[in-house]
Amino acid sequence: MPKQLDFLWGEDHLTARKAIHIGKGTLRAVLSDTTKKKVQKSAQAVATIVEKGQPVYGINTGFGPLCTTKISKEETKLLQTNILQSHSVGVGEPISEDIAKLMLILKVHALAKGFSGIRLETLERIIWHIEHHAIPVVPSQGSVGASGDLAPLSHLFLPLLGLGKVVYNGRVMTTQNLFGQMNLKPLDLGPKEGLALINGTQFIAAHAVKVVVKLRNCLKHADIIGAMMLEGLQGSMKPFYEELHHQRPFKGNQHVAARIRTLLKSSEILEAHIDCERVQDPYSLRCMPQVHGASRNTWLHLKELLEVELNSVTDNPIIINEELTISGGNFHGQPLAMALDYATVAAAELGNISDRRIYLALEGNSPGVPKLLMENTGINSGYMILQYTTAALASENKSLCFPASADSIPTSLGQEDHVSMGSISSRKALQVLNNVEKILAIELLTAAQAFEYRKPLKSGILLDVIHRHLRTKVPFAAKDRVFADDIEVAIGIIKNSEIIALVDKTMQTHDLKWNAPYEQEFERY
């Protein structure tokens, strides 16, 4: 990431990329004096409301169905402590440290907007956890994605009270032990603070940040690996012509077609069969712009919605000033829940079409490429069983495509009678993407094996460089071996974006351009 000025909490525009870099420590985030004053002003407004005794939801009333229960001035602080404890009811395996840290980052940015009534002291303690990588342990299950992600956010902020557990220096410990080591004391939450902390969509949004990053990575790999498979199977270049895609100008379609044209530029393999008798390729080759492109359009939509969410105030009530507080529904996860379900389908389709290309490579119908991608079969099974794995993964993904946002179960004695289930949408999206990475890794292995049979002809510069790089880690398979080892290596290549970095470096060295019409839109995230 280019060197830049510090990120200003609550003021600068937060994106998925910036959130990731704040989490890694490669982008420093700071509170400006302007933001500090806004936060203090909002906290003072809450203090004035408490002093006056006027009933305001969540400040001096109960929560949910208890919203008509008046809370005395003396008990307003106890109310906030109790809500964190009573709402810490999450179950299941803990979410990853990086997602929990993203939740902290997203929450700080929202609270720093100055509409939540949080005290500066509390905000600075959360920032302490981020900067010292003392990350709360947060269970993965228990949120219905409305009234915010109540259960996971409660667990996220238990450490403010000296409760719960954290991961510090690679090991799980009680917050009490951590505070003993660091000479810290628990906070006494002020009026409204507990509610401000646990109302919000940061569980959904933190997962969505990871979805945007992972899906982008898969989309870029799908084009590259698909182009290599096209070369290996001697597919036609015509379905990627610019003239065709001008007649149906979806952004994603045009973008993918342009990328594949660049990847195949100056290919000897293409030239060698330009006048062959094959009229049409199967859809998994021919329709890459339409299928990959549709998934790219979905990614673009999710990214745009996520950026709105990352820069919004999603707790409740919103403190405009001491005279105006608004109890609304900004915590409802539906805007992201639906988009994440859409992204889940988009990711699954990348895996579906990749699995079909793998199957195509095994059929032996392309001249020069043996059945099962190995010459001496019978005694060898070749790459047959690798496609079993991709079939299993693709099928598992299909079972995960039911939209969680289509379901709603009333909670809070009917006060919360429509919920988003966005937390489930977000977790499923990541699960599907993890499977897609594995499918693409296997396609990379099979595409490279088919590509080998085109020698001594060369492809374009980019695909040849990628193939040589893979062969430094995974040799050509002339006979059976433990292919699980190859798959693990290939998965690592996909996850670490090695191919993408290699392509970018090679293009820079050779002064190549993608010439894709929407490059800026699909690169910024």
Side-chain angles (χ1 to χ4, degrees), residues 240-242 246 251 253-263 265 462 507 511-520 522-523:
F240 308 95
Y241 280 11
E242 193 173 3
H246 277 160
K251 290 180 180 180
N253 301 29
Q254 293 183 86
H255 186 75
V256 171
R259 283 172 56 82
I260 292 177
R261 288 197 302 271
T262 302
L263 288 162
K265 189 176 181 180
L462 299 173
M507 291 187 75
D511 197 28
L512 296 172
K513 305 292 182 187
W514 284 115
N515 295 320
Y518 300 101
E519 187 70 15
Q520 189 172 356
F522 286 111
E523 283 302 305

Side-chain angles (χ1 to χ4, degrees), residues 9 42 207 223 238 261 269 271 347 360 385 400-401 418 517:
W9 290 120
S42 181
H207 281 76
D223 296 344
K238 282 189 175 180
R261 288 197 302 271
I269 298 171
E271 289 297 321
L360 199 64
I385 308 301
L400 292 167
C401 280
H418 183 280

Side-chain angles (χ1 to χ4, degrees), residues 99-363:
I99 293 180
K101 192 172 189 180
L102 280 170
M103 287 178 69
L104 292 172
I105 290 165
L106 305 190
K107 194 66 178 182
V108 167
H109 190 57
L111 295 174
K113 298 284 183 182
F115 294 98
S116 300
I118 205 86
R119 293 174 305 156
L120 184 59
E121 176 189 5
T122 306
L123 193 59
E124 288 176 335
R125 175 61 67 85
I126 302 170
I127 293 171
W128 181 92
H129 277 273
I130 295 169
E131 292 178 344
H132 288 79
H133 196 75
I135 308 304
V137 174
V138 179
S140 56
Q141 295 171 296
S143 171
V144 295
S147 267
D149 293 308
L150 294 173
L153 283 167
S154 296
H155 285 276
L156 188 73
F157 294 118
L158 277 179
L160 300 182
L161 306 176
L163 303 174
K165 294 179 180 179
V166 295
V167 181
Y168 184 68
N169 285 338
R171 68 187 187 93
V172 177
M173 63 174 66
T174 65
T175 304
Q176 188 176 12
N177 284 343
L178 174 69
F179 282 8
Q181 289 182 28
M182 308 299 287
N183 197 26
L184 287 177
K185 292 183 178 179
L187 297 180
D188 290 322
L189 294 182
K192 210 272 185 180
E193 287 198 295
L195 191 61
L197 292 169
I198 72 170
N199 260 202
T201 59
Q202 283 75 36
F203 181 90
I204 300 171
H207 281 76
V209 166
K210 295 289 285 187
V211 170
V212 163
V213 174
K214 270 185 176 285
L215 181 51
R216 176 180 179 271
N217 187 49
C218 287
L219 286 162
K220 290 168 81 79
H221 276 104
D223 296 344
I224 295 166
I225 297 167
M228 182 177 282
M229 187 67 88
L230 189 81
E231 286 280 69
L233 302 183
Q234 289 191 325
S236 171
M237 189 64 193
K238 282 189 175 180
F240 308 95
Y241 280 11
E242 193 173 3
E243 294 85 347
L244 173 68
H245 295 283
H246 277 160
Q247 308 310 314
R248 198 187 187 200
F250 287 111
K251 290 180 180 180
N253 301 29
Q254 293 183 86
H255 186 75
V256 171
R259 283 172 56 82
I260 292 177
R261 288 197 302 271
T262 302
L263 288 162
L264 299 178
K265 189 176 181 180
S266 304
S267 167
E268 292 178 3
I269 298 171
L270 273 179
E271 289 297 321
H273 68 93
I274 200 164
D275 295 319
C276 71
E277 295 180 359
R278 186 187 296 179
V279 177
Q280 287 186 337
D281 292 323
Y283 287 0
S284 60
L285 294 178
R286 193 191 341 159
C287 297
M288 279 192 277
Q290 290 78 11
V291 179
H292 294 190
S295 292
R296 277 191 175 271
N297 292 334
T298 305
W299 176 87
L300 190 61
H301 183 57
L302 175 62
K303 182 198 73 168
E304 290 170 349
L305 293 180
L306 176 61
E307 283 193 26
V308 173
E309 191 78 338
L310 295 184
N311 295 283
S312 297
V313 179
T314 57
D315 66 283
N316 182 64
I318 305 301
I319 311 298
I320 305 299
N321 53 54
E322 62 191 57
E323 301 297 331
L324 179 60
T325 63
I326 304 173
S327 182
N330 276 8
F331 49 66
H332 203 294
Q334 197 78 352
L336 284 187
M338 293 180 73
L340 284 162
D341 284 332
Y342 183 21
T344 301
V345 174
E349 280 304 293
L350 280 184
N352 286 344
I353 196 170
S354 177
D355 168 72
R356 292 298 81 210
R357 288 193 294 265
I358 294 165
Y359 186 91
L360 199 64
L362 302 181
E363 285 186 316

Side-chain angles (χ1 to χ4, degrees), residues 313-470:
V313 179
T314 57
D315 66 283
N316 182 64
I318 305 301
I319 311 298
I320 305 299
N321 53 54
E322 62 191 57
E323 301 297 331
L324 179 60
T325 63
I326 304 173
S327 182
N330 276 8
F331 49 66
H332 203 294
Q334 197 78 352
L336 284 187
M338 293 180 73
L340 284 162
D341 284 332
Y342 183 21
T344 301
V345 174
E349 280 304 293
L350 280 184
N352 286 344
I353 196 170
S354 177
D355 168 72
R356 292 298 81 210
R357 288 193 294 265
I358 294 165
Y359 186 91
L360 199 64
L362 302 181
E363 285 186 316
N365 291 335
S366 183
V369 177
K371 189 177 291 187
L372 303 177
L373 295 172
M374 199 173 283
E375 289 177 342
N376 187 19
T377 49
I379 190 171
N380 292 299
S381 295
Y383 281 75
M384 180 198 307
I385 308 301
L386 278 76
Q387 193 267 327
Y388 279 47
T389 301
T390 61
L393 292 167
S395 180
E396 183 178 314
N397 281 351
K398 291 173 188 177
S399 72
L400 292 167
C401 280
F402 175 82
S405 60
D407 186 33
S408 176
I409 299 175
T411 56
S412 195
L413 304 184
Q415 179 75 4
E416 297 160 13
D417 56 353
H418 183 280
V419 298
S420 75
M421 301 299 181
S423 62
I424 301 169
S425 302
S426 65
R427 289 191 295 112
K428 288 200 298 104
L430 278 182
Q431 191 175 344
V432 167
L433 280 163
N434 287 334
N435 288 340
V436 172
E437 288 174 338
K438 296 167 189 171
I439 295 171
L440 288 171
I442 292 173
E443 188 186 0
L444 175 61
L445 296 174
T446 53
Q449 187 79 358
F451 194 85
E452 198 93 29
Y453 290 106
R454 297 302 164 206
K455 291 182 176 179
L457 294 175
K458 292 183 178 181
S459 181
I461 294 169
L462 299 173
L463 293 183
D464 273 341
V465 165
I466 293 165
H467 190 262
R468 286 197 300 272
H469 176 72
L470 179 66

